Amino acid sequence: MADRFIDVSLAKRGVHCTARLLDDRAPVTCRTVWDALPLGGDVYHAKYARNEIYALFAAFADREPPLENPTVTPIPGDLCYFTFSGTELGTAAYGYDRNDVGRRPVTVDLALFYERNNLLLNGDTGWVPGTVWGQVVDGLDRMADACQDLWRAGALGETLTFRRA
């Protein structure tokens, strides 16, 4: 199979990067995401994992992919896929709208890690392994600068989008 690429962007900041799908390591997850593209939503900066931005989506697959190419220590440029039940994210501690996220049977978290020293450990639930399904191959430096700005200046009004390149 030929390499497949996606564009990951922060709309308001006008920044994007290109990632290669890791079809050889996470084939089910890659197919699931590819078939659902484009996907976009409000961006969040992670509280627990450190150098992560992500968007949350209602489940978009008939069946959630299994954990493939798992990690709890993502590196810069990793794209990760996480699945959460409504009860896992439906508490006020996480800051999401409980009437939206908390009522979904499944919420999908598509994340971009932009710097090192990440650890997927949640103080409430423990380890949170994710599937690494993509790797940024161009534009990570610009995206990392925009992610730092998002952390310092705020995410309100910003959108994280994933689309085929």
Side-chain angles (χ1 to χ4, degrees), residues 68-107:
E68 303 176 289
N69 196 28
T71 191
V72 293
T73 55
I75 62 173
D78 277 352
L79 298 181
C80 289
Y81 184 108
F82 303 92
T83 302
F84 299 101
S85 72
T87 58
E88 288 177 289
L89 299 180
T91 66
Y94 295 106
Y96 306 121
D97 181 353
R98 286 185 280 181
N99 292 326
D100 180 26
V101 174
R103 290 188 183 169
R104 293 180 190 161
V106 173
T107 295

Side-chain angles (χ1 to χ4, degrees), residues 10 13 15 53 141-151:
L10 290 169
R13 285 168 173 80
V15 170
I53 62 168
D141 53 345
R142 295 181 309 271
M143 183 61 80
D145 289 344
C147 292
Q148 282 294 332
D149 181 64
L150 189 122
W151 173 249

Side-chain angles (χ1 to χ4, degrees), residues 11-24:
K12 186 175 167 183
R13 285 168 173 80
V15 170
H16 70 96
C17 58
T18 303
R20 181 179 61 84
L21 271 61
L22 302 177
D23 286 300
D24 57 330

Side-chain angles (χ1 to χ4, degrees), residues 22-32 65-71 81 129-133:
L22 302 177
D23 286 300
D24 57 330
R25 297 182 186 167
V28 177
T29 305
C30 288
R31 184 173 52 251
T32 298
L67 185 61
E68 303 176 289
N69 196 28
T71 191
Y81 184 108
T131 293
V132 181
W133 59 276

